Amino acid sequence: MTKEKVLKMVWRVEKEGRQSFLVGTAHFIPHSFRSSLSRYIKGARYVLIEGPLDREHMNEVVRAGFEKDVPHIFDDLDDRVVDRIKQIFEPPCRKRNVPFFILHTRSFESEQSLYDSLEGMKHWMAFFTLWGKFTGKLGWKHSVDMEAYSIALEMKKEVIPLETIEEQVVVLNGIPREKVVDFINRIDQWEEYARSYQENYLAGDLKNLMSVPGRFPTLTLPVIGERDRILYMRMKRYLEEGNAVAFVGAPHIQGINELLRLDGYSSTSILHSTKERH
């Protein structure tokens, strides 16, 4: 399952002879794309990422995901769903695993029940913890964002975050609790959602990726639509210079492509580009 794959969620961006690449990332995925990522990063002067991915900044996200006296996520779930979650994830974990927003985990050594391990987490942190555990059980051990970031550091490229951690925490806090609860209440559909997402991502099929049934909690206007313009405006100066590669979550690609075209850029999927196929 973890065999390396060819990355197809890529667009070639051009204007007045200057070329860059726009890559739609997956924060959780079962495959490595190292060879493809290395090829795009090697030829780039600038490597743009959504936000800081170093350990210090990821720790800030973890701290922001906890709050004293925050309602437990189980309080809002159907009883049958809580029982199903326990069935999937129990017996109790010996380590408390907390996601660093994008795949990284930090362990708290102690024996705890699943209920206790989620105690004090904001709704979005509890969700990413459960989703990370679930996809981990499916063998999803990779993150396109983190793999690209690691390769860029190895190649000593200039890595430029398009958002600050503070801005990203504001976005996370803005994810509606009711959407998180609704998605968790449909946990029996998670495996099908994950399968469809994986298939569409590997195929580079953005249209179907965005229409996968079971609407992911982060696919909301504050998380996607309102940030598309921010991400685009901050990457624009590097695209104008050319020779950049920008890594943003795949759901942002559609909106950014629309903005690119309004500014006179061509943005062509590598699936339809003879230059990339050959």
Side-chain angles (χ1 to χ4, degrees), residues 41 44-49 152-153 155-161 237-238 245:
I41 293 170
R45 179 178 180 184
Y46 302 111
V47 177
L48 314 177
I49 58 176
L153 292 184
M155 293 185 177
K156 302 187 184 307
K157 295 291 184 177
E158 183 176 0
V159 180
I160 301 164
R237 58 165 289 203
Y238 303 101
V245 57

Side-chain angles (χ1 to χ4, degrees), residues 98-154:
V98 181
F100 279 162
F101 180 40
I102 301 175
L103 202 65
H104 279 316
T105 58
R106 165 185 176 189
S107 297
F108 297 80
E109 299 286 350
S110 62
E111 286 197 14
Q112 292 181 306
S113 68
L114 181 62
Y115 182 95
D116 288 342
S117 74
L118 299 174
E119 188 79 51
M121 289 187 186
K122 294 181 181 178
H123 61 286
W124 56 265
M125 180 65 86
F127 164 68
F128 280 119
T129 298
L130 291 172
W131 182 248
K133 287 179 178 291
F134 183 82
T135 54
K137 289 172 71 70
L138 297 178
W140 290 33
K141 306 294 186 182
H142 295 275
S143 162
V144 179
D145 309 75
M146 287 305 307
E147 189 167 32
Y149 176 66
S150 297
I151 292 169
L153 292 184
E154 290 170 12

